[in-house]
Amino acid sequence: MSKREVYEQKTEELITPFVEDKGFELVDVEYVKEGGNWYLRAYIDKPGGITVDDCEVISRSLSDKLDEEDFIEGAYILEVSSPGLGRPLKKEKDFVRNMGQEVELRTYRAIEKQKEFRGILDAYDKSSITLEVEEGEKLVFDRSNVALVRLAFDF
C-alpha cells in the first residue's frame, strides 16, 4: 500500500466517527499534491447539502485528531468540503448513491463518433456502466473505455 493510500485510509478511520455522530456521510478522503502543496481533503454530505458551518465543525475535530495521531510526514493543507456538483463518481458508494440520477459520461475512444454521453445512471458493475439515454433506450459502456462519470448539472 502506498503512503498516500495509508494516509487516506487512516484519515477515513479517524473522521468517520465525527461524521456519523453529526448524521453526515463521508463521501471520500483524498491525499493529493497540487501546485507544490499536499492536500488532505475530506468530502462530506447530508440530505439537503452541507453548509460551511458543517465543514468547519468536522474540520476542527479532524484537525485536533490528526495533530494527536501525527502520522502524516511533512506539511499538508487540510480541507473539508461538500462533494461539489462536478465531482466524478469513482467508488462503488458513489454509484449506489447516484442510481437514477442524471450523469455525464465521457469515453476514451469515440463510440459512433461521440465521446460524451448524458443519461440516467441505470446500472453498473465492475466491468460496465449502463445509462438510459432516452425513454427505454439504454447504452452499456465498457468500464475500461470510461474516462469520467459525474453528476450532470444544468445552469
Side-chain angles (χ1 to χ4, degrees):
M1 208 187 292
S2 72
K3 195 182 285 188
R4 192 176 56 90
E5 289 170 315
V6 170
Y7 292 169
E8 289 174 351
Q9 194 177 338
K10 197 149 169 56
T11 301
E12 206 165 302
E13 289 166 16
L14 292 179
I15 193 175
T16 299
F18 302 126
V19 173
E20 289 178 350
D21 185 52
K22 295 281 179 206
F24 304 159
E25 176 193 2
L26 179 62
V27 175
D28 199 9
V29 170
E30 61 180 14
Y31 184 71
V32 292
K33 191 170 193 172
E34 289 174 9
N37 289 318
W38 282 97
Y39 289 85
L40 180 62
R41 293 199 179 107
Y43 296 97
I44 59 174
D45 207 358
K46 72 176 185 205
I50 285 290
T51 66
V52 173
D53 290 344
D54 295 335
C55 292
E56 208 171 290
V57 166
I58 298 299
S59 179
R60 207 170 296 126
S61 304
L62 179 59
S63 181
D64 291 347
K65 198 71 178 153
L66 286 166
D67 289 347
E68 218 175 275
E69 300 280 330
D70 195 27
F71 61 89
I72 298 178
E73 294 169 26
Y76 62 92
I77 298 161
L78 174 65
E79 291 181 350
V80 176
S81 67
S82 68
L85 286 172
R87 194 163 182 288
L89 309 186
K90 293 190 265 190
K91 298 184 174 180
E92 168 140 10
K93 60 184 177 183
D94 297 334
F95 286 94
V96 169
R97 189 177 49 255
N98 293 295
M99 285 301 286
Q101 299 290 326
E102 188 173 13
V103 296
E104 294 172 351
L105 184 143
R106 197 172 301 146
T107 57
Y108 290 114
R109 291 181 308 284
I111 297 170
E112 294 172 20
K113 299 188 177 114
Q114 194 177 340
K115 278 187 167 186
E116 295 198 8
F117 301 85
R118 197 176 173 131
I120 303 298
L121 182 59
D122 186 67
Y124 72 92
D125 58 33
K126 281 183 172 43
S127 59
S128 69
I129 296 171
T130 305
L131 298 187
E132 184 169 345
V133 287
E134 283 176 37
E135 192 66 45
E137 187 194 338
K138 295 180 181 177
L139 290 179
V140 179
F141 298 89
D142 190 323
R143 244 183 152 150
S144 63
N145 189 31
V146 174
L148 174 77
V149 181
R150 68 177 178 203
L151 279 181
F153 49 97
D154 299 301
F155 292 105

